[in-house]
């Protein structure tokens, strides 16, 4: 019996880039893509050296890649400063008075920082860090709202070679404590509070709670954002604005080794204990720069908006480092998409003339659920390119995004990558790649991706298997912080020399990659291995369904039975009749084997704080048990009790 993951959902729609878009794009045809990709995979060093030489280096590298599997050194011998590349080089030139960051706070304040102003802020704050005894190599926690100062803090760390670890503002004191302990951080940068859905998140209060007892932290720097009352611990805490009185904006660039650590980012994956993913300087910046340039195909006049928080890798690479390295104008919004109303994003796009918009499938499914009337109120004609990241996008959600948000004219880049990969690995190029809803299409330049069976052998078209990367790439993680053994074991031990992504996927006859779900979530129904995403997409393609999550449950006869959790669109009623209709709908779309044995209607699905469905918890519920595993990454705890009640 086949141990490969089977695939049954067929998607035949193909959407080609418009001639107009292709004409102006950096890569305007598939012939160009194929030619450059083939050459870049034959000789990745040559391709990446070309991209890296568009950056400013202190000293040029001696070798592009030193690879002693699984440890890579990119641009070894070279020195570089990320802040210089993201800020100074633009501030020195014609972009000095161009907007770098356009920010809107949740309560509605507006601020714009030009590249010249951003440079001044970064230099001032870098001097504040130095004044507070933060040195090169020290680890610094950043726990802030999504305000320009979060980017300033990251860039100031990068400038002096301190290693930042950003923690998403939705995490609790315990999560902060764990990350401080693991990283040995000596300084925390935070704010009194931040706004989320109209209330104030007590950030400083959470930091205080994380610092009780033994801690490595000596200094807490507090930005005043929400004016909520906070405790100031004498001798440990200082105000950001007061510190500025003691420093100047004179902070000359120092170049760091290309392999100097830039940041640690703890993954809040849907399973297990957080891991400190370590990224370094030169290679990370080169791939962040190149992918932003080609995939978002940025123009000088673009207003580019990535909706991710800086607490996630997407916020690091595509809100801060990638676009700023390209001299782009970045929109930044502090708060929730449905505050005060579900049209906040569309209002922002209209008010600022956003041209490129990059968000997550979880957000898109929420917009669909909230109803089209919120979109219809606004003029979205400024948009020219859309993007998505974070989960497989269900084809129907893709079509809605394309029609309703993109007006049928905007290409969509469905970008596949991970915290570990640091930057986009598989994605369409918007002026070249004919796209199909639901696939991230083809590997980026220099990336050698493949699908292999359990023996590490590449499988043929439309056969499911494990997604691996067969060659090192510049923005790859270098290790798990403090745990080289775990790094080797997690990512490199199953197929020596290949990086294991943990995702199941298949390639279609055109070579396009379709992610079918995490390997850990694959179901085994009567000997058939089924990925979660196809069954979920079949459910979402029914007009009553907003969102679906599919898990297995032990079944004496079939091995596993299929259990679906479904949320409905606004106005739809959960009835026994609908349940039966949905079962038949899946049967018709995929086949009888995939028909859910049970369908549970839920008000919401449990998600990680970055919006990914937590199937592990649903599996425990579907199996009739209590939720025992780690739930610290869960966004909304109340959902769990609701799910259990409904099942009782
Ligand atoms: O399963 C894949 C899914 O998200 C995982 C990586 O999650 P994280 O490290 O949190 O990074 C998210 C932002 C890069 C992947 O292993 N994933 C991400 N993008 C896609 C995706 N699945 C399908 N299609 C995508 N475009």
């Amino acid at each position: 019996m086949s141990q490969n993951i089977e695939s049954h959902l067929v998607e035949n729609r193909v959407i080609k880039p418009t001639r107009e878009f292709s004409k102006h794009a950096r890569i305007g045809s598939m012939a160009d893509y194929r030619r450059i990709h083939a050459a870049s995979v034959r000789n990745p060093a040559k391709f990446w050296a070309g991209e890296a030489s568009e950056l400013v280096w202190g000293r040029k590298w001696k070798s592009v890649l030193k690879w002693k599997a699984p440890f890579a050194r990119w641009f070894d011998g070279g020195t570089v400063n990320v802040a210089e590349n993201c800020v100074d080089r633009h501030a020195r030139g014609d972009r000095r008075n161009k907007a770098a960051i356009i920010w809107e706070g949740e309560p509605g304040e507006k601020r714009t920082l030009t590249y010249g102003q951003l440079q001044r802020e970064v230099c001032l704050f870098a001097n504040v860090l130095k004044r507070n005894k933060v040195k090169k190599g020290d680890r610094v926690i950043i726990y802030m709202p999504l305000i320009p100062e979060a980017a300033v803090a990251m860039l100031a760390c990068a400038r002096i070679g301190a290693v930042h670890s950003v923690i998403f503002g939705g995490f609790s004191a315990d999560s902060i404590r764990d990350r401080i302990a693991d990283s040995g951080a000596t300084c925390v940068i935070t704010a009194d509070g931040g706004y989320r859905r109209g209330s104030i998140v007590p950030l400083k209060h959470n930091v205080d709670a994380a610092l009780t007892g033994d801690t490595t932290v000596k200094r807490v720097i507090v930005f005043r954002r929400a004016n909520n009352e906070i405790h100031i611990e004498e001798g440990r805490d200082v105000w950001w604005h007061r510190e500025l009185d003691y420093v100047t904006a004179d902070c000359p660039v120092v170049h760091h080794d290309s392999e100097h650590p830039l940041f640690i980012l703890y993954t809040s994956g849907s399973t297990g204990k957080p891991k400190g993913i370590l990224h370094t300087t030169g290679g990370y910046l080169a791939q962040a720069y190149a992918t932003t340039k080609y995939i978002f195909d940025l123009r000088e006049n673009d207003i580019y908006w990535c909706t991710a928080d800086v607490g996630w890798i997407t916020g690091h690479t595509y809100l801060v480092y990638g676009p700023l390295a390209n001299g782009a104008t970045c929109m930044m919004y502090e708060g929730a998409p449905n505050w005060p109303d579900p049209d906040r994003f569309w209002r922002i796009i209209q008010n600022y003339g956003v041209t490129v918009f990059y968000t997550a499938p979880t957000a898109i499914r929420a917009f669909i659920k909230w109803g089209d009337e919120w979109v219809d109120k606004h003029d979205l004609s400024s948009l020219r390119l859309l993007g998505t990241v974070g989960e497989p996008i269900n084809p129907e959600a893709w079509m809605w995004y394309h029609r309703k948000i993109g007006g049928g004219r905007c290409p969509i880049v469905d970008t596949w990558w991970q915290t570990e990969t640091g930057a986009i690995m598989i994605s369409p190029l918007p002026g070249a790649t004919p796209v199909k809803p639901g696939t991230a299409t083809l590997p980026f330049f220099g990336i050698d991706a493949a699908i292999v069976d359990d023996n590490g052998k590449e499988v043929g078209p439309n056969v499911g298997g494990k997604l691996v990367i067969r060659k090192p790439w510049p923005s790859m993680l270098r290790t798990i912080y403090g745990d080289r053994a775990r790094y080797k074991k997690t990512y490199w031990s199953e197929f020596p020399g290949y990086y294991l992504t943990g995702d199941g996927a298949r390639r279609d006859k055109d070579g396009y990659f379709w992610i079918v779900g995490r390997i850990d979530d694959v179901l085994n129904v009567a000997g058939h291995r089924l990925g979660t995403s196809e069954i979920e997409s079949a459910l979402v393609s029914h007009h009553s369904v907003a969102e679906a999550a599919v898990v297995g449950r032990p079944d004496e006869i079939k091995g596993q039975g299929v259990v679906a959790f479904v949320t409905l669109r606004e106005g739809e009623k959960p009835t026994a009749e609908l349940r039966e209709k949905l079962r038949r709908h899946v049967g018709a779309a995929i086949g009888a084997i995939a028909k859910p044995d049970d369908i549970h209607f839920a008000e919401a699905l449990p998600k990680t704080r970055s919006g990914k469905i937590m199937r592990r918890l649903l599996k425990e519920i579907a199996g009739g048990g209590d939720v025992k595993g780690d739930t610290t990454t869960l966004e909304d705890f109340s959902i769990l009790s609701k799910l259990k009640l409904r099942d009782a």
Side-chain angles (χ1 to χ4, degrees), residues 481-503:
Y481 187 71
D483 200 344
R484 282 160 68 99
R486 188 172 177 203
Y487 165 71
K488 271 189 175 170
K489 182 161 179 293
T490 311
Y491 303 108
W492 300 92
S493 61
E494 188 160 343
F495 310 115
Y498 288 4
Y499 168 82
L500 185 73
T501 66
D503 282 351

Side-chain angles (χ1 to χ4, degrees), residues 265 267-270 277 312-315 318 358 361 388-393 413-424 426-427 438-440 467 499 501-504 513-519 533 608 610 612 615:
L265 186 59
T267 59
S268 63
S270 31
I277 304 300
W312 314 119
I313 190 69
T314 308
Y318 297 107
Y358 188 33
T388 142
V389 59
E391 285 180 296
I393 179 164
V413 288
D414 175 352
T415 62
W416 179 91
W417 58 297
Q418 307 176 299
T419 305
E420 290 86 343
T421 69
I424 296 170
I426 302 178
S427 168
T439 163
L467 174 61
Y499 168 82
T501 66
D503 282 351
F513 285 80
W514 295 77
I515 305 295
V516 302
R518 297 290 296 168
I519 294 284
S533 84
T608 64
S610 65
K612 285 194 215 298
R615 291 185 190 73

Side-chain angles (χ1 to χ4, degrees), residues 319-628:
L319 178 58
V320 178
Y321 293 122
L324 294 180
N326 280 276
T329 295
C330 306
M331 182 75 217
M332 186 189 257
Y333 163 61
E334 178 186 31
N338 54 352
W339 188 265
D341 290 309
D343 62 345
R344 185 66 183 264
F345 277 13
W346 320 130
R347 193 177 290 277
I348 290 175
I349 290 174
Q350 171 180 295
N351 288 352
Y352 296 88
V354 171
T355 56
V356 179
F357 179 65
Y358 188 33
T359 195
T362 184
I364 295 167
R365 292 188 303 252
F367 301 143
I368 297 174
K369 186 176 164 141
W370 293 334
D372 287 3
E373 62 272 24
W374 296 107
V375 184
D376 292 338
K377 284 182 169 181
H378 300 281
D379 173 9
L380 305 182
S381 60
S382 59
L383 290 170
R384 64 177 197 87
L385 174 63
L386 304 175
T388 142
V389 59
E391 285 180 296
I393 179 164
N394 316 107
E396 288 319 310
W398 193 103
M399 289 308 298
W400 181 91
Y401 195 34
H402 179 66
R403 275 197 219 108
K404 199 75 211 163
I405 306 303
R409 72 183 178 278
C410 303
I412 298 181
V413 288
D414 175 352
T415 62
W416 179 91
W417 58 297
Q418 307 176 299
T419 305
E420 290 86 343
T421 69
I424 296 170
M425 304 290 278
I426 302 178
S427 168
L429 292 173
T433 318
V435 294
K436 307 175 195 178
T439 163
T441 74
L442 295 163
F444 186 68
F445 302 136
I447 304 302
D448 183 9
I451 316 251
V452 299
D453 64 18
D454 288 339
N455 301 314
K457 210 171 141 282
E458 188 162 10
V459 298
N462 287 320
V463 178
K466 293 175 176 170
L467 174 61
V468 297
I469 312 293
R470 295 187 292 198
K471 287 197 179 80
W473 64 100
S475 65
M476 63 190 274
L477 78 165
R478 297 304 192 261
T479 188
I480 293 174
Y481 187 71
D483 200 344
R484 282 160 68 99
R486 188 172 177 203
Y487 165 71
K488 271 189 175 170
K489 182 161 179 293
T490 311
Y491 303 108
W492 300 92
S493 61
E494 188 160 343
F495 310 115
Y498 288 4
Y499 168 82
L500 185 73
T501 66
D503 282 351
R506 70 179 165 96
R507 295 186 85 164
D508 66 17
K509 62 179 186 357
D510 297 320
Y512 285 17
F513 285 80
W514 295 77
I515 305 295
V516 302
R518 297 290 296 168
I519 294 284
D520 295 341
D521 295 332
V522 166
L523 315 180
N524 195 330
V525 183
H528 298 274
R529 304 219 311 152
L530 305 173
T532 47
S533 84
E534 291 186 351
I535 308 176
E536 289 162 1
S537 287
L539 285 162
V540 173
S541 74
H542 190 279
H543 58 83
S544 303
V545 175
E547 195 156 46
V550 165
V551 297
R553 141 190 104 203
D555 182 291
E556 277 184 18
I557 298 165
K558 295 194 285 184
Q560 273 187 319
V562 180
V563 180
F565 292 81
V566 166
T567 65
L568 298 177
R569 288 205 196 187
E570 220 94 305
E572 298 287 341
K573 296 265 171 319
T575 60
E577 196 191 342
L578 178 59
R579 182 176 285 131
E580 202 36 49
K581 268 194 196 152
L582 293 179
R583 292 189 66 235
R584 281 203 303 273
H585 185 74
V586 174
I590 303 185
I593 186 77
K595 263 192 184 175
D597 296 284
D598 282 334
I599 295 181
H600 299 283
F601 293 113
E603 274 163 43
L605 300 176
K607 298 201 180 154
T608 64
R609 287 162 214 262
S610 65
K612 285 194 215 298
I613 296 170
M614 283 178 94
R615 291 185 190 73
R616 182 173 54 81
L617 300 187
L618 291 172
K619 221 183 284 178
E620 288 170 11
I621 293 171
D626 271 344
V627 173
K628 287 189 263 353

